[in-house]
Amino acid sequence: MAANSQFSMAVHVLSMLARSKDENLKSDFIAGSVNTNAVVIRRLLGQLSQAKLVVSQTGANGGTRLARRPSEISLAEIYKAVNCGEVFALHAKEPNRDCPVGRNIEAVLCCLQKEIDKGIVEKLSTYSLQNLFEMVAENPA
Amino acid sequence: MAANSQFSMAVHVLSMLARSKDENLKSDFIAGSVNTNAVVIRRLLGQLSQAKLVVSQTGANGGTRLARRPSEISLAEIYKAVNCGEVFALHAKEPNRDCPVGRNIEAVLCCLQKEIDKGIVEKLSTYSLQNLFEMVAENPA
DNA sequence: TTGAATTGTAACTAGAATCGTTACAGTTAT
DNA sequence: ATAACTGTAACGATTCTAGTTACAATTCAA
């Protein structure tokens, strides 16, 4: 499959919104920067809106802006807002319950998966959208 | 796509091998516990063999055993041995270079991606296959 | 030395997930 | 009223994983 780039796109989109301050941005304009279709952006914005990270307005002169200041949005919130799966997947088919290993391995792996995910969220929560936006701005083209 | 469960399968397979000590296990037997096809297991064992975590023998009475003791194999090595992608993917299409955000976001995201991956590896390196195997053994069925 | 048991690997299929695209209903400013 | 937007459904193209079959190469053992 194509790899899931929702988090990357979300960070991109939110950086655009951070840059535009309180002005509404159109999905079409954002799509031009991300280099994709406006519907893809609107779908993503829908998730970010549900997570209360952005506010959208329909109608003429509509568009989207941040719901909070960039310094008050952590990358962890963005990560949780978009649907970007787990670090590794558990078994596709249930292992054999007649095997002492097969019987118990899933529970252990599930635990480990959660622990890793917690670590990721912790690391991401040390960055705000503001921090990230500054990195983008500083970065030499 | 179906999610990538290589790491889960690898840990499962290596736990089986840890349990069997120095005895060779057949791919067919392992497949029975993982509940998949023997070829899938052999493919996985190929990767683990390249990473020098296991040793295989062809021919009659062949099979696979651990290359080292379970206490000397960390989960981080297993993670690196199998091909289980990144936490999040970068942009599918290259962003628009004419946009100040689009121009620089990828480099920043790439950095972040590496930092997160480093965190995962650090966390995984605190567990050995032995530790994990003990968790599986202790876990109530 | 023959035969049986195994691994290694190529090739193909089925199924799932993402992204892109078109289409259109609903909303809002002017 | 009309034009400019968002929200969302529906479908296709692409890509990835895992499952499967098939078979060559290797090794043990009688």
Side-chain angles (χ1 to χ4, degrees), chain A residues 107-128:
Chain A
V108 173
L109 284 169
C110 187
C111 239
L112 185 63
Q113 195 186 52
K114 284 193 183 115
E115 192 181 328
I116 292 176
D117 202 57
K118 208 177 106 199
I120 293 173
V121 168
E122 269 168 24
K123 176 148 286 188
L124 285 175
S125 65
T126 64
Y127 293 100
S128 70

Side-chain angles (χ1 to χ4, degrees), chain B residues 2 8 12 20 41 45-46 48 53 55 62 71 83 87 123 136 139:
Chain B
S8 288
H12 187 151
S20 77
I41 298 299
L45 287 172
L48 300 176
L53 298 180
V55 175
S71 58
N83 189 11
V87 178
K123 176 148 287 191
V136 170
N139 209 33

Side-chain angles (χ1 to χ4, degrees), chain A residues 1 8 33 89 94 115 127, chain B residues 1 8 33 35 89 96 115 127:
Chain A
M1 115 195 95
S8 288
S33 172
E94 180 173 291
E115 192 181 328
Y127 293 100
Chain B
M1 118 194 90
S8 288
S33 172
N35 190 18
N96 186 347
E115 192 181 327
Y127 294 100

Side-chain angles (χ1 to χ4, degrees), chain A residues 1-9 11-12 15-16 19 32-36 75 79 84-97 99-105 107-109 112 115-116 118-120 122-124 126-127 132-133 135-141, chain B residues 1-9 11-12 15-16 19 32-36 75 79 84-97 99-105 107-109 112 115-116 118-120 122-124 126-127 132-133 135-141:
Chain A
M1 115 195 95
N4 187 328
S5 60
Q6 301 244 316
F7 178 74
S8 288
M9 283 200 291
V11 169
H12 187 152
S15 294
M16 300 280 293
R19 204 172 87 95
S33 172
V34 178
N35 190 20
T36 185
L75 296 196
Y79 178 75
C84 46
E86 300 293 338
V87 179
F88 58 86
L90 299 183
H91 292 64
K93 283 184 177 175
E94 180 173 291
N96 186 348
R97 300 257 164 244
C99 166
V101 173
R103 189 156 52 227
N104 298 326
I105 190 95
V108 173
L109 284 169
L112 185 63
E115 192 181 328
I116 292 176
K118 208 177 106 199
I120 293 173
E122 269 168 24
K123 176 148 286 188
L124 285 175
T126 64
Y127 293 100
L132 190 120
F133 179 64
M135 287 194 267
V136 170
E138 281 166 18
N139 209 32
Chain B
M1 118 194 90
N4 186 328
S5 59
Q6 300 245 316
F7 177 74
S8 288
M9 284 201 290
V11 168
H12 187 151
S15 294
M16 300 280 293
R19 205 171 85 95
S33 172
V34 179
N35 190 18
T36 184
L75 297 195
Y79 179 75
C84 46
E86 300 292 339
V87 178
F88 59 86
L90 299 182
H91 292 64
K93 283 184 178 175
E94 179 173 293
N96 186 347
R97 301 256 164 244
C99 167
V101 174
R103 188 156 52 228
N104 298 325
I105 190 95
V108 173
L109 285 169
L112 185 64
E115 192 181 327
I116 291 176
K118 208 177 106 198
I120 293 173
E122 269 168 24
K123 176 148 287 191
L124 285 175
T126 64
Y127 294 100
L132 190 118
F133 179 63
M135 287 195 268
V136 170
E138 280 167 16
N139 209 33

Side-chain angles (χ1 to χ4, degrees), chain B residues 19 23 25 32 34 43 54 64 68 89 117 136:
Chain B
R19 205 171 85 95
E23 185 192 357
L25 290 190
V34 179
R43 278 201 286 243
V54 304
T64 305
R68 288 182 251 151
D117 202 57
V136 170

Side-chain angles (χ1 to χ4, degrees), chain A residues 30-72:
Chain A
I30 298 172
S33 172
V34 178
N35 190 20
T36 185
N37 190 291
V39 175
V40 172
I41 298 299
R42 291 205 290 271
R43 277 200 287 243
L44 186 56
L45 287 172
Q47 294 188 267
L48 299 176
S49 172
Q50 277 197 307
K52 306 219 184 296
L53 298 180
V54 305
V55 175
S56 289
Q57 279 176 16
T58 60
N61 262 352
T64 306
R65 61 184 190 283
L66 291 183
R68 289 181 249 150
R69 284 178 309 193
S71 58
E72 291 166 342

